[in-house]
Amino acid sequence: MAEDMITMEVARYRPELESEPVTQSYEVPLRKEWAVLDGLNYIKDHLDGTLSFRWSCRMGICGSCGMTVNGDPQLTCATFLSEYAPGPVRVEPMRNFPVVRDLIVDIGDFMNKLPTVRPWLVRTEDEPVEDGEYLQTPLEMEEYQQYSMCINCMLCYSACPVYALDPDFVGPAAIALAQRYNLDSRDEGARDRRDVLTSAEGVWACTFVGECSTACPKDVDPAGAIQRYKLTAATNAIWDFLLPRGAR
Ligand code: FES
């Protein structure tokens, strides 16, 4: 019996051939265990070796296979072809990023923004190694654990209408990662992150559409992180007014 097939309509952009993206259709096997990424790899291996896209782990961890599938931002290794049967399934690059080639986008903007929020543990003074680990209770870990699940896939930027209009917006993942460290009992860097987070392009640019949290494949809830930091920023501003830094 002939194998079921599904049509994949894939956005192609080869700067040496096209001035703007075009669509190319491919027929791939529709197997129930196949993710969209498996379909793309089938095309690459059997139909058209020139198709370019990023992937690495195939298990929703590395965050490199994000694309737009039938209009939605998705990890293609975690989205099954059978969900789109009988097809066609349309695969395009992530929105809101410049396309380099086919399904590959330029993520330089995110990579430049990320270090501005200092997404690492900041200590004013490190304890001597012989004093042992920085201990933390399960409750203290619970405070930031959700935000630590971010895999930098950038689907939240692809989904964010604010970022689409204002590319200077620091953005959902970077702010969620700032909160991951701000809320960590071992961290002392909240003040260092404050200027970026409270700038015009920081949390106040977010209009709480919430598409970032809908798109997030790891349930990080960047929209929640942003709203939570707005409260922190407002509280800090009140304290600054009542007790200017010099008076504390
Ligand atoms: Fe790593 Fe999809 S290939 S998250």
Side-chain angles (χ1 to χ4, degrees), residues 37 55-65 75-77 151:
L37 180 62
W55 64 281
S56 179
C57 70
R58 292 177 66 187
M59 51 179 14
I61 297 295
C62 74
S64 61
C65 69
L75 287 182
T76 52
C77 71
I151 56 172

Side-chain angles (χ1 to χ4, degrees), residues 119-190:
W120 54 81
L121 282 179
V122 174
R123 299 283 304 179
T124 45
E125 217 172 291
D126 282 325
E127 305 292 333
V129 175
E130 51 275 18
D131 284 2
E133 307 92 337
Y134 295 102
L135 296 178
Q136 193 165 60
T137 68
L139 269 183
E140 286 170 332
M141 193 173 103
E142 222 173 82
E143 270 292 288
Y144 66 85
Q145 193 171 21
Q146 178 180 13
Y147 306 132
S148 73
M149 304 308 282
C150 176
I151 56 172
N152 298 339
C153 65
M154 286 157 285
L155 292 182
C156 54
Y157 285 77
S158 173
C160 176
V162 175
Y163 184 60
L165 292 173
D166 177 8
D168 291 332
F169 177 39
V170 175
I175 296 175
L177 284 164
Q179 279 293 71
R180 179 256 173 268
Y181 291 94
N182 280 342
L183 297 170
D184 190 318
S185 59
R186 300 163 296 180
D187 182 81
E188 297 169 335

Side-chain angles (χ1 to χ4, degrees), residues 18-89:
E18 289 119 1
S19 57
E20 56 187 53
V22 296
T23 301
Q24 203 161 341
S25 293
Y26 304 93
E27 296 291 312
V28 307
L30 177 59
R31 296 183 191 156
K32 82 173 181 328
E33 71 280 11
W34 270 19
V36 172
L37 180 62
D38 293 310
L40 293 173
N41 275 326
Y42 179 89
I43 295 169
K44 179 100 181 162
D45 292 344
H46 300 282
L47 306 176
D48 187 345
T50 68
L51 181 63
S52 300
F53 50 98
R54 287 198 183 104
W55 64 281
S56 179
C57 70
R58 292 177 66 187
M59 51 179 14
I61 297 295
C62 74
S64 61
C65 69
M67 297 172 210
T68 307
V69 184
N70 275 15
D72 295 323
Q74 303 278 10
L75 287 182
T76 52
C77 71
T79 306
F80 288 89
L81 271 179
S82 54
E83 289 174 31
Y84 302 95
V89 51

